[in-house]
Amino acid sequence: MTSTEQLDTTDLTERVKGMYQEVALHPEREFHFETGRQLAEHLGYPAADLDRIPAAAIDSFAGVGYFLDLAAVAPGETVLDLGSGSGTDAFLAALAAGEGGSVIGVDMTAEQLAKATNLASAAGIANAEFREGQIEQPPVNPGSVDCVISNGVVNLSPDKPAVFAAAAVALRPGGRLAIADIVSASQLPEGITCDASLWAACIGGAMQRERYLEAIEVAGLEIAEVRENDYRFISDRADNATQKYGVTSISLLARRKEE
């Protein structure tokens, strides 16, 4: 597991909230990472799908990969989006789930929640709702979800095994976990893992890839597919860490074991 002995998790939480507040309110500003529709299309989001959801949600899109094809959300299903941000993935999942299905987005940043909720209301997307909460303890009933999705958010958690354990609890037996996230080829040194600013930029929290996948399996999920994403950081500081430690983006599909 990524070292957190010297990481100030309170500082981390405030930095993450501050950064993603800016992403929600001022997506045109420069961050360590790309945002917006151009990024979404580069990662593989079909333009025709993006055309069906609120453009303002896509403006604040800050994902690291495409995975909704792996999620394969079917009509009538219930989806949990961990770290739902301004709602891009949640809205796309809501379209796939249809009127008989539902999407619950969970986020800890008030500005992201407000933006997603307002956009859903204005666009008439009645089957998507957004709740305040932590991804380590999402506010949903055990065994109530068909699919858990997340995009570039698990790496922000200092307790990734808790996130995967919570996802497994939320899922019905046979339910799916479909996510995109940042991992590293080698274990990051404490100079990076204990730097809250780099965690907030999606670098410092990157878990070594094999340990990340192992944490998913320990939670009771069976990995079905893993693939690489064409993703890059844009600040020099983030890019240097990426090159040195093999920080990269993956998308994956896992299933909760049948009982």
Side-chain angles (χ1 to χ4, degrees):
M1 180 178 173
T2 303
S3 173
T4 58
E5 284 85 348
Q6 300 173 37
L7 177 68
D8 185 336
T9 54
T10 301
D11 183 31
L12 171 63
T13 297
E14 292 308 310
R15 285 179 181 268
V16 170
K17 284 184 177 180
M19 179 167 290
Y20 290 94
Q21 173 186 341
E22 289 293 296
V23 171
L25 300 178
H26 305 288
E28 75 283 355
R29 293 182 179 175
E30 291 188 0
F31 302 96
H32 289 285
F33 43 80
E34 294 180 85
T35 58
R37 178 160 183 148
Q38 184 175 353
L39 167 64
E41 291 193 20
H42 172 76
L43 291 173
Y45 283 76
D49 290 349
L50 296 175
D51 288 341
R52 299 177 66 198
I53 66 172
I58 306 168
D59 289 343
S60 293
F61 174 77
V64 301
Y66 182 63
F67 59 88
L68 290 173
D69 57 331
L70 298 175
V73 176
E77 289 194 319
T78 299
V79 179
L80 170 63
D81 186 356
L82 297 177
S84 49
S86 292
T88 295
D89 289 313
F91 293 145
L92 292 171
L95 290 176
E99 293 182 0
S102 64
V103 177
I104 302 164
V106 175
D107 207 282
M108 67 177 183
T109 304
E111 292 77 9
Q112 294 276 31
L113 288 167
K115 185 171 186 176
T117 298
N118 292 336
L119 289 173
S121 178
I125 305 176
N127 63 335
E129 65 168 301
F130 299 90
R131 302 176 182 175
E132 181 179 3
Q134 305 288 330
I135 63 173
E136 297 87 355
Q137 295 179 308
V140 296
N141 293 326
S144 63
V145 173
D146 297 293
C147 186
V148 174
I149 62 175
S150 185
N151 199 338
V153 178
V154 179
N155 75 88
L156 296 172
S157 171
D159 192 352
K160 295 167 186 59
V163 177
F164 296 132
V169 169
L171 285 169
R172 298 186 177 97
R176 311 178 303 285
L177 172 74
I179 61 177
D181 206 12
I182 300 296
V183 296
S184 63
S186 58
Q187 180 65 42
L188 299 175
E190 287 193 2
I192 292 178
T193 62
C194 297
D195 185 331
S197 66
L198 282 177
W199 274 71
C202 298
I203 291 288
M207 196 177 200
Q208 197 274 334
R209 178 175 174 145
E210 273 61 46
R211 293 184 180 181
Y212 186 97
L213 298 178
E214 180 182 3
I216 293 174
E217 293 176 333
V218 168
L221 302 166
E222 295 180 332
I223 296 173
E225 184 174 346
V226 181
R227 69 186 183 207
E228 304 288 333
N229 296 317
D230 182 12
Y231 179 80
R232 69 185 183 94
F233 292 95
I234 56 178
S235 76
D236 289 340
R237 189 180 185 200
D239 186 59
N240 288 339
T242 297
Q243 298 299 324
K244 188 171 184 179
Y245 301 105
V247 177
T248 188
S249 167
I250 60 172
S251 292
L252 65 85
L253 171 67
R255 293 186 176 88
R256 180 182 166 185
K257 297 177 182 178
E258 298 280 358
E259 295 179 346

